[in-house]
Each structure stands twice: as C-alpha cells, then as structure tokens.
Amino acid sequence: MHSGLLLQSLIDRCTGEIYEDYRNGGKVPTLCTLREKLLHQKEREAKNLALALELFTSGSLDAFAHETNVDVNNRMVVYDILDLGKQLKTMGLLVITDAMLNRVTENWKKGKRTHIFLDEFHVVFENEFSGTFFNSAWRRFRKRNAFPNAITQNVEYLLDSVLASTMLSNSEFIVMLNQAASDRQKLAELLNISKEQMSYITNADAGCGLIKYGSSLVPFVNQFPENTRLYKLMTTKPGENNNCIK
C-alpha cells in the first residue's frame, strides 16, 4: 500500500475509534487522545506517526493538543493568531477555520444566521494549505446562511493568489478604499472597473472609495466630524485617543 494511503487509513481508523469511545462516555477527543490510540496499533507506521505527533501533543508546540478553556458556545467568539509562531500558524489557521465551519453548520441547522469577520485576511493565503481549506470553507459559508466579511490592507497578497482572486471576483459586496497603483490595475481587470471609476480609489481621502454591489459600482463619501463621540469610537488613526469616551 502507498505510504500516504497507509497513514490516512491509520488516522481514519484511530479517529473513528476515539470518537466511538467518546460517544460511549470516554474523554473528549484531542490530539493527545489520537496519539495514545496510535501507540496501541500494531503497525510500525502508527508508532512513527505517534512520534511525529509528539512535538504537537507533549512538546513545545502543544497549543492545540488539549481541551479548550474558552466557551466556544458563546454568542461571540474571537480567535487571535498574532502570537502563533511560524510552525504553529498553519495548524492554527486550519483549526480555527474548521471551528468556524462547524459553528456555521450548527447555527444553520438551528435556523440561525452567522456573521464572520476576518481581519488581516491576506494571512490566510500566505500558506497553501490554509488558503485551499479556506477557499472551500468560503463557499460553504455562503450556502449555510453565513455572512463572511474579509478585511485587509494588503490587497496585493490576495490578488497574487488564484484562490483569493476567485473568491474576490465571486463576492457580491466589496468596499474599496484608497489603493496603490499596482493594486488598482489588478482590481480594475478583476472587477471590470473603468478608468473614471478608478479615480474614486486613487489618492482618495479617508472615508472615500468605491463599492461593488452585485454588478453595480457606486462611489461613496463617508466622512464624520472629528468632534463627535461616534468618530472617537470609530477612529483607528495612530495618535488619536479613541479610548477616552466616558
């Protein structure tokens, strides 16, 4: 048997067994549980796989190996990957995306709508595996009454990815603020934006830009007086104190 298929079969067998144990009153399945199950298999490859998992279960990269201490059933859940190192980022993105997809599916079955907000969205596509997984999840989000909202200042990263460009071109609602010259050209080709319309995202002031809604492109001006409470709540400009509202 091909080594890759053999490993998949071992993982499939052990995963099925640990979830069967869980349904019968066993402990919550984790990567640690999977490694323990692998160690009890007779195949030599299972022992090698368990050894490879050691780093992620009892080693220095065990962040995702145990039960969560966060209430994932809360109405609002925030995932922060800022402090994940390079070795953990891929796993972290896959775990988080899978968790979001599971929550969307659960809400969909209950007739509930789910809103998903993804800041620094370009990070997802810095890795081949997380980009491919999220591209598939994005389509399923839309089919299961979920509203994903992606936010990024680095449009160039997305436009360089075929998967991300496809997602962008298939999105019904896009808000574009001021764009760099190279990004404007790529956006114009992707979204069929005319030269006149591109002027709204060329050297645009804060709060001004272009909205794509379906097949329509609409310029907008969304400026707020700086001496208002609402402006102080919304501003993210460095140096402006937006935490002093009483």
Side-chain angles (χ1 to χ4, degrees):
M1 183 183 291
H2 189 274
S3 60
L5 290 175
L6 177 59
L7 294 178
Q8 288 181 37
S9 295
L10 286 169
I11 294 172
D12 183 71
R13 179 206 302 169
C14 293
T15 302
E17 289 180 2
I18 61 178
Y19 274 96
E20 183 64 29
D21 293 341
Y22 174 64
R23 284 192 291 267
N24 293 326
K27 55 185 178 181
V28 175
T30 63
L31 280 178
C32 295
T33 318
L34 177 60
R35 182 172 181 271
E36 291 173 9
K37 185 65 71 173
L38 285 167
L39 287 170
H40 287 88
Q41 307 305 304
K42 60 182 180 181
E43 291 85 358
R44 175 175 54 83
E45 290 80 4
K47 304 294 189 297
N48 293 336
L49 192 54
L51 179 60
L53 274 176
E54 185 176 308
L55 177 64
F56 299 97
T57 54
S58 56
S60 58
L61 302 180
D62 67 341
F64 296 98
H66 312 285
E67 292 184 53
T68 181
N69 57 359
V70 176
D71 180 11
V72 293
N73 295 315
N74 202 308
R75 186 171 180 269
M76 181 179 293
V77 180
V78 178
Y79 296 99
D80 184 0
I81 64 171
L82 178 64
D83 294 326
L84 288 182
K86 184 177 181 180
Q87 288 181 292
L88 270 179
K89 185 161 288 186
T90 299
M91 178 184 288
L93 287 169
L94 292 174
V95 169
I96 291 169
T97 306
D98 187 59
M100 288 190 294
L101 185 56
N102 289 338
R103 180 64 176 269
V104 165
T105 302
E106 289 175 7
N107 287 348
W108 173 60
K109 290 179 179 178
K110 297 175 182 177
K112 295 181 178 180
R113 179 183 303 163
T114 309
H115 291 271
I116 304 165
F117 298 91
L118 303 128
D119 197 12
E120 304 295 350
F121 186 58
H122 61 276
V123 174
V124 173
F125 290 92
E126 289 178 354
N127 180 277
E128 176 187 356
F129 299 106
S130 62
T132 301
F133 188 81
F134 201 92
N135 178 262
S136 174
W138 186 270
R139 293 193 297 270
R140 283 183 280 177
F141 286 154
R142 296 174 63 183
K143 292 178 181 178
R144 299 180 185 180
N145 202 26
F147 294 80
N149 299 271
I151 308 162
T152 181
Q153 296 182 41
N154 296 291
V155 180
E156 186 175 358
Y157 283 107
L158 295 182
L159 299 178
D160 287 340
S161 166
V162 175
L163 291 175
S165 294
T166 302
M167 290 172 56
L168 195 62
S169 61
N170 289 333
S171 296
E172 287 295 306
F173 185 80
I174 301 173
V175 178
M176 292 166 279
L177 302 177
N178 186 49
Q179 302 292 322
S182 59
D183 292 344
R184 289 198 302 270
Q185 184 60 37
K186 291 181 180 179
L187 284 169
E189 295 172 1
L190 183 68
L191 304 176
N192 195 26
I193 305 174
S194 69
K195 290 183 179 180
E196 292 76 14
Q197 292 167 329
M198 291 301 291
S199 65
Y200 293 104
I201 54 175
T202 303
N203 300 321
D205 293 331
C208 303
L210 192 64
I211 291 175
K212 175 186 178 292
Y213 182 67
S215 59
S216 301
L217 286 160
V218 183
F220 69 91
V221 176
N222 190 21
Q223 295 176 329
F224 284 82
E226 296 185 10
N227 61 345
T228 62
R229 289 169 58 86
L230 187 58
Y231 178 86
K232 291 178 181 179
L233 280 171
M234 294 188 301
T235 181
T236 57
K237 289 184 179 179
E240 291 187 342
N241 189 351
N242 58 335
N243 297 314
C244 62
I245 298 176
K246 298 180 181 179

